[in-house]
Amino acid sequence: MSNSIHCQDVPVDSCSETFSLFRGSKVLEDVDDHVLAELASHAKFEHYRIPTLLNTAKHELTHLRFVIEGQIELVGRNVDGDEACIAVLGPANWVTWLGCFDLRPPQYDFYSSANCKVMAISCKKVREIANANPELYRIAINAISDRFRLLMEWTTDSALLEHEKRIAKLLLLVSRLNNEHDIAHPAIYYTQDRLAVLSRCTRQTLSRSLKLLEQQALIKVGYKRIDIIDLEGLESFTYR
């Protein structure tokens, strides 16, 4: 269940909090104020107290969401019901620009975490605003390209790197996906079971690799989270 506070059809200055959130987003830092104001005027707050299914696989994505608190998880499943968490997108992340301009239904479910707060705008409205303000297409293309580059890095390095280095690379890519780029000590809110699936190894093998990285003071393993203590050191470990 969610509580939503709609800003649509309300004067823009009543949505000043929304405008400020969007202005603080690195993705939108070069967008003109009038475009941000229009986006803000069609946005709504959503607060999910418990984990909630936001969009079902094989159904057209309905909303672009900006995460304020908590996370949104993208989860894929096979015909046998096995699942893999593709991404856990935390605060300051947009989920997802691709869904606004590619009308093909995604092949994964979108879930909120508990105590998740987001700003949501309908994908249809984002397309309308982008058609009137083409600069928004450039912003979206850049955001989509960043995600695509991360995917290509993982596709290459996961095949070429030795196991411990592959785990280190996965942590780096996940931290870049889930956090803003200027965070010195990013946190990863993945369980070890989910990381094991992504890295294609057993839970026990992953645990040994994480312990090795922790012994070198590169990361700190906590409950359902991993903090990267030394970002540069983890990068150096990956390629030395």
Side-chain angles (χ1 to χ4, degrees):
M1 183 178 295
S2 69
N3 285 337
S4 299
I5 304 173
H6 292 265
C7 288
Q8 192 168 357
D9 300 325
V10 176
V12 171
D13 57 3
S14 297
C15 292
S16 58
E17 181 182 354
T18 306
F19 182 90
S20 297
L21 285 169
F22 289 174
R23 173 52 70 210
S25 168
K26 288 188 176 297
V27 171
L28 298 179
E29 61 185 355
D30 295 326
V31 175
D32 289 343
D33 282 354
H34 79 276
V35 179
L36 288 187
E38 188 168 4
L39 287 170
S41 71
H42 292 282
K44 63 180 180 179
F45 281 108
E46 296 178 342
H47 182 210
Y48 299 96
R49 295 187 178 88
I50 62 175
T52 303
L53 177 63
L54 304 178
N55 206 90
T56 306
K58 300 182 180 179
H59 287 76
E60 183 179 341
L61 191 65
T62 58
H63 287 79
L64 171 68
R65 289 180 167 91
F66 179 73
V67 183
I68 303 170
E69 298 174 5
Q71 300 92 37
I72 291 180
E73 301 180 2
L74 280 58
V75 178
R77 292 183 176 83
N78 63 19
V79 293
D80 297 322
D82 299 323
E83 68 175 42
C85 183
I86 302 166
V88 180
L89 300 171
N93 273 284
W94 291 89
V95 190
T96 168
W97 288 98
L98 182 61
C100 291
F101 305 108
D102 182 352
L103 301 186
R104 291 172 294 183
Q107 298 300 304
Y108 37 82
D109 296 323
F110 291 73
Y111 283 94
S112 78
S113 66
N115 299 316
C116 181
K117 184 178 181 181
V118 302
M119 291 299 309
I121 313 172
S122 79
C123 290
K124 179 180 178 181
K125 182 56 64 175
V126 173
R127 287 192 294 272
E128 291 176 2
I129 295 173
N131 287 339
N133 303 276
E135 64 182 287
L136 204 54
Y137 280 110
R138 177 181 56 80
I139 297 298
I141 290 170
N142 287 341
I144 294 167
S145 295
D146 285 343
R147 298 277 170 86
F148 180 73
R149 280 195 292 270
L150 294 180
L151 172 63
M152 293 306 296
E153 280 187 45
W154 176 242
T155 300
T156 302
D157 289 341
S158 65
L160 297 177
L161 293 173
E162 299 172 358
H163 177 69
E164 281 78 14
K165 294 183 178 181
R166 187 167 73 248
I167 299 302
K169 182 64 176 184
L170 178 60
L171 296 179
L172 286 168
L173 291 180
V174 169
S175 71
R176 285 164 57 189
L177 178 65
N178 294 3
N179 297 279
E180 292 187 283
H181 298 304
D182 58 355
I183 296 179
H185 304 293
I188 298 170
Y189 297 96
Y190 278 50
T191 64
Q192 292 191 31
D193 287 332
R194 286 176 169 175
L195 285 172
V197 170
L198 288 176
S199 60
R200 301 192 303 277
C201 69
T202 66
R203 170 70 163 71
Q204 292 74 20
T205 300
L206 176 76
S207 181
R208 287 195 296 270
S209 298
L210 293 177
K211 185 173 294 185
L212 172 66
L213 297 174
E214 191 169 34
Q215 288 171 347
Q216 298 190 36
L218 299 175
I219 65 171
K220 180 175 177 57
V221 180
Y223 178 67
K224 293 186 178 180
R225 67 179 284 164
I226 297 171
D227 293 283
I228 297 181
I229 306 302
D230 184 352
L231 207 54
E232 292 184 3
L234 194 61
E235 184 85 38
S236 297
F237 175 87
T238 301
Y239 294 110
R240 70 184 178 212

